[in-house]
């Protein structure tokens, strides 16, 4: 007997669950380090422009496809056009790859929360602590298992009892925590040994003021690719998640209003996440600390907490609780997409598919953990970076597949099906789609061109545009 399809109880439930997916690791971990790496204000400016244009188009497309077809991404594209069903299979690959490492990162966060709860956290600020942890044989796997078990339990509970209920409880508290820490970061000040004083407000200036000096075409394209990859993660588009969530949305929900709320919610959280982290790192570590890349959270911030003195430990506990919730919302969304796909693909119950996806996630996450010790290697990627197993999975899913999926989807909707298919779904109940002319223009002419450029850059052909 086929299991009855779950649905969100209303517009608020959908917005909170979808925004919860967006708010996760993508915004609170990736956004600050990419923003710091790419010059603060310049990255922020590019990202905001992308959200208002590409983000709006991609998010509207995914959610409308899901609600119109009432199917997840694996099958929805076949409903649009049988010959384009392969896009659904590509989108299925993205969460399949992401799930291999999301719970690993969640385990890292759980470890840091644990160390700050049971101790003063000074060890976390020492040189080599993070490296020593992720390269150890047992500890990363133990913390990953704890995080993965909690994720699987929430997904097992289903949409209304698990995901929506979790989002309604956690999201308001998460936003409040981010806001408090962000405001606190602006009050910080620090005096170097040479007498130089840096303040949180100066760090805010670095964060929001664009610097165009020395900008080249190639460098701009690199920033654009970083900002677009962040957009994919932040809005959870081009990976099947929003199509799956869209399939749960009831027909009477105003899609235009709901997607606008997700855009605003997501962008606001991304901005606050940057304001929470970048000024604090600038105050205590200067511009050199901002250049620490993905290790910003696990290497630079513990030093910031130590420099804060007595208040550092409670701030660290609050921060990693917030990071834990954020990571959990992301991982839940990714696993839900896989479970929903597999339920329809194999015609099995949620319980059975949670078990299968859980086992897959466990095995692959263990392999990712081993990628820092027993299975360690370094591979030069087409985009010029050098990475190991986790980086390879992230590159394939985020920098390669997502731009390619967005390119194909824009061609399908813009030129094969026609933009009015999406517009009609958004206006199903007589709502006014204010940006429909922008949508039509973007999906036909702008998105395909830019996605092709970004795909070529990520594939190693960036020199063509320099």
């Amino acid at each position: 007997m086929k299991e009855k399809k779950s649905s969100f109880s209303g517009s608020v439930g959908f917005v909170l669950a979808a925004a919860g997916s967006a708010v996760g690791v993508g915004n609170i971990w990736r956004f600050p380090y990419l923003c710091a790496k790419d010059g603060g204000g310049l990255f922020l400016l590019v990202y905001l422009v992308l959200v208002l244009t590409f983000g709006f188009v991609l998010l509207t497309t995914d959610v409308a496809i899901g609600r119109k077809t009432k199917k997840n991404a694996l099958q929805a594209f076949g409903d649009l056009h049988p010959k384009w069903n392969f896009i659904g299979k590509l989108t299925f690959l993205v969460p399949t790859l992401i799930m291999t490492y999301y719970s690993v990162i969640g385990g890292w966060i759980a470890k840091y929360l644990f160390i700050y709860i049971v101790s003063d956290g000074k060890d976390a600020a020492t040189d080599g602590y993070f490296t020593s942890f992720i390269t150890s044989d047992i500890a990363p796997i133990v913390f990953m298992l704890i995080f993965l078990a909690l994720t699987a339990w929430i997904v097992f509970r289903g949409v209304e009892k698990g995901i929506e209920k979790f989002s309604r409880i956690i999201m308001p508290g998460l936003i409040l925590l981010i806001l408090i820490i962000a405001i606190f970061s602006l009050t910080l000040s620090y005096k170097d040994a040479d007498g130089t004083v840096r303040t949180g407000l100066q760090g805010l200036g670095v964060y929001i003021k664009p610097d165009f000096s020395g900008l080249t075409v190639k460098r701009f394209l690199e920033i654009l690719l970083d900002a677009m990859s962040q957009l994919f993660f932040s809005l959870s588009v081009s990976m099947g998640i929003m199509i799956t969530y869209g399939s749960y949305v009831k027909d009477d929900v105003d899609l235009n209003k709901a997607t606008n709320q997700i855009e605003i919610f997501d962008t606001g959280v991304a901005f606050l996440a940057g304001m929470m982290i970048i000024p604090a790192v600038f105050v205590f570590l200067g511009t050199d600390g901002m250049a620490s890349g993905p290790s910003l959270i696990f290497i630079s911030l513990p030093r910031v907490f130590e420099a804060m003195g007595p208040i550092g430990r409670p701030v660290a506990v609050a921060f990693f609780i917030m990071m834990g919730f954020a990571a959990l919302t992301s991982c839940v969304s990714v696993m839900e997409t896989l479970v929903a796909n597999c339920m329809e693909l194999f015609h099995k119950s949620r319980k059975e598919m949670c078990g299968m996806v859980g086992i897959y996630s466990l095995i692959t996450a263990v392999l990712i953990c081993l990628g820092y010790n027993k299975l360690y290697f370094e591979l030069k990627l087409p985009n010029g970076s050098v990475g190991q197993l986790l980086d390879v999975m992230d590159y394939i899913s985020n920098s390669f597949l997502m731009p390619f999926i967005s390119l194909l989807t824009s061609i399908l909707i813009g030129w094969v099906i026609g933009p009015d298919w999406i517009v009609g779904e958004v206006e199903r109940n007589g709502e006014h789609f204010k940006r429909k002319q922008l949508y039509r223009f973007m999906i036909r002419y702008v998105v395909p061109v830019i996605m092709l450029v970004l795909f070529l850059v990520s594939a190693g052909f960036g020199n063509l545009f320099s």
Side-chain angles (χ1 to χ4, degrees):
M1 181 176 178
K2 188 175 181 181
E3 184 174 295
K4 182 181 178 182
K5 189 174 181 66
S6 301
S7 65
F8 293 113
S9 61
S11 177
V12 175
F14 164 61
V15 171
L16 284 175
S21 166
V23 164
V25 173
N27 270 336
I28 302 181
W29 179 45
R30 290 178 67 97
F31 184 88
Y33 90 70
L34 286 175
C35 190
K37 178 176 80 74
D38 289 329
L42 181 56
F43 176 90
L44 181 62
L45 176 63
V46 172
Y47 180 76
L48 290 176
V49 171
L50 291 180
V51 168
L52 293 173
T53 53
F54 289 86
F56 144 71
V57 171
L58 297 175
L59 181 61
T60 300
T61 301
D62 278 8
V63 175
I65 288 174
R67 191 175 75 168
K68 178 74 171 179
T69 63
K70 295 299 180 186
K71 294 181 178 178
N72 56 59
L74 191 61
Q75 297 179 326
F77 286 97
D79 263 23
L80 268 65
H81 197 293
K83 292 183 178 179
W84 290 75
N85 190 47
F86 69 95
I87 302 180
K89 296 176 182 178
L90 290 177
T91 61
F92 182 70
L93 283 177
V94 176
T96 301
L97 292 171
I98 291 175
M99 197 62 212
T100 64
Y101 63 84
Y102 249 32
S103 57
V104 176
I105 297 173
W108 297 350
I109 295 168
K111 164 66 175 179
Y112 273 70
L113 174 60
F114 175 77
I115 196 69
Y116 277 105
I117 289 176
V118 301
S119 71
D120 58 14
K122 289 186 177 180
D123 288 344
T126 58
D127 292 338
Y129 181 83
F130 178 63
T131 302
S132 176
F133 165 61
I134 65 173
T135 56
S136 60
D137 293 334
I138 304 299
I141 296 177
V142 171
F143 284 99
M144 176 274 293
L145 280 172
I146 296 171
F147 185 86
L148 181 59
L150 183 55
T151 301
W153 179 76
I154 294 171
V155 174
F156 172 73
R157 297 271 295 169
V159 175
E160 293 181 21
K161 294 181 180 179
I163 297 169
E164 184 178 345
K165 187 175 181 180
F166 172 77
S167 299
R168 284 179 180 270
I169 295 172
I170 294 302
M171 291 310 299
L174 179 58
I175 299 307
L176 181 62
L177 254 176
I178 294 173
L179 182 61
I180 291 172
I181 298 177
I183 293 173
F184 177 75
S185 293
L186 301 183
T187 68
L188 299 172
S189 65
Y190 183 74
K191 188 175 182 179
D192 272 340
D194 62 1
T196 302
V197 177
R198 292 188 296 270
T199 68
L201 290 176
Q202 289 174 337
L204 179 64
V206 174
Y207 173 47
I208 65 176
K209 184 179 179 181
D211 181 8
F212 298 97
S213 59
L215 185 65
T216 63
V217 173
K218 184 178 180 180
R219 178 59 185 148
F220 176 75
L221 286 174
E222 290 172 351
I223 295 173
L224 185 64
L225 180 60
D226 281 346
M228 189 63 78
S229 70
Q230 172 60 32
L231 181 72
F232 291 137
F233 258 97
S234 291
L235 292 177
S236 300
V237 293
S238 298
M239 60 175 78
I241 289 177
M242 285 304 174
I243 294 179
T244 298
Y245 276 11
S247 72
Y248 299 147
V249 177
K250 294 180 178 179
D251 292 341
D252 60 354
V253 170
D254 186 338
L255 281 193
N256 188 40
K257 182 179 178 181
T259 53
N260 287 344
Q261 288 173 340
I262 295 169
E263 276 184 275
I264 294 169
F265 196 95
D266 168 78
T267 307
V269 171
F271 179 80
L272 288 175
M275 193 170 83
M276 172 180 65
I277 293 173
I278 292 177
V281 172
F282 173 80
V283 166
F284 293 105
L285 302 175
T287 53
D288 291 340
M290 290 176 59
S292 56
S295 62
L296 190 71
I297 300 296
F298 301 106
I299 295 179
S300 296
L301 275 181
R303 295 172 184 169
V304 171
F305 297 139
E306 183 183 32
M308 287 180 177
I311 64 169
R313 182 183 178 186
V315 171
V317 170
F319 175 80
F320 282 108
I321 287 175
M322 178 199 61
M323 280 291 295
F325 286 149
L328 197 56
T329 57
S330 288
C331 204
V332 163
S333 296
V334 175
M335 180 175 274
E336 169 62 24
T337 300
L338 290 178
V339 169
N341 278 317
C342 290
M343 284 170 63
E344 293 195 21
L345 188 64
F346 299 109
H347 306 291
K348 300 291 185 179
S349 69
R350 175 172 289 271
K351 180 179 179 180
E352 291 173 302
M353 287 301 96
C354 278
M356 287 182 60
V357 172
I359 292 171
Y360 161 79
S361 303
L362 172 62
I363 293 172
T364 54
V366 169
L367 292 175
I368 294 294
C369 289
L370 295 178
Y372 289 98
N373 44 67
K374 299 291 191 298
L375 302 179
Y376 183 80
F377 64 86
E378 291 186 357
L379 179 68
K380 187 173 182 180
L381 301 173
N383 61 4
S385 63
V386 177
Q388 38 62 52
L389 197 53
L390 189 152
D391 298 316
V392 172
M393 296 297 104
D394 183 63
Y395 165 77
I396 296 172
S397 61
N398 194 41
S399 297
F400 189 82
L401 280 176
M402 289 186 196
F404 188 51
I405 290 168
S406 296
L407 169 64
L408 294 174
T409 303
S410 64
I411 294 172
L412 173 62
I413 299 298
W415 296 98
V416 180
I417 303 298
D420 286 344
W421 192 92
I422 298 292
V423 172
E425 180 60 24
V426 175
E427 296 182 331
R428 168 188 284 215
N429 302 307
E431 303 95 341
H432 178 52
F433 189 10
K434 295 180 181 179
R435 292 187 281 179
K436 63 183 175 184
Q437 296 304 329
L438 174 63
Y439 179 85
R440 288 188 178 113
F441 179 76
M442 289 287 299
I443 198 70
R444 296 196 75 182
Y445 302 107
V446 182
V447 175
V449 173
I450 298 301
M451 289 303 164
L452 177 60
V453 171
L454 292 179
F455 175 73
L456 291 174
V457 171
S458 66
F461 297 99
N463 289 331
L464 293 174
F465 307 99
S466 59

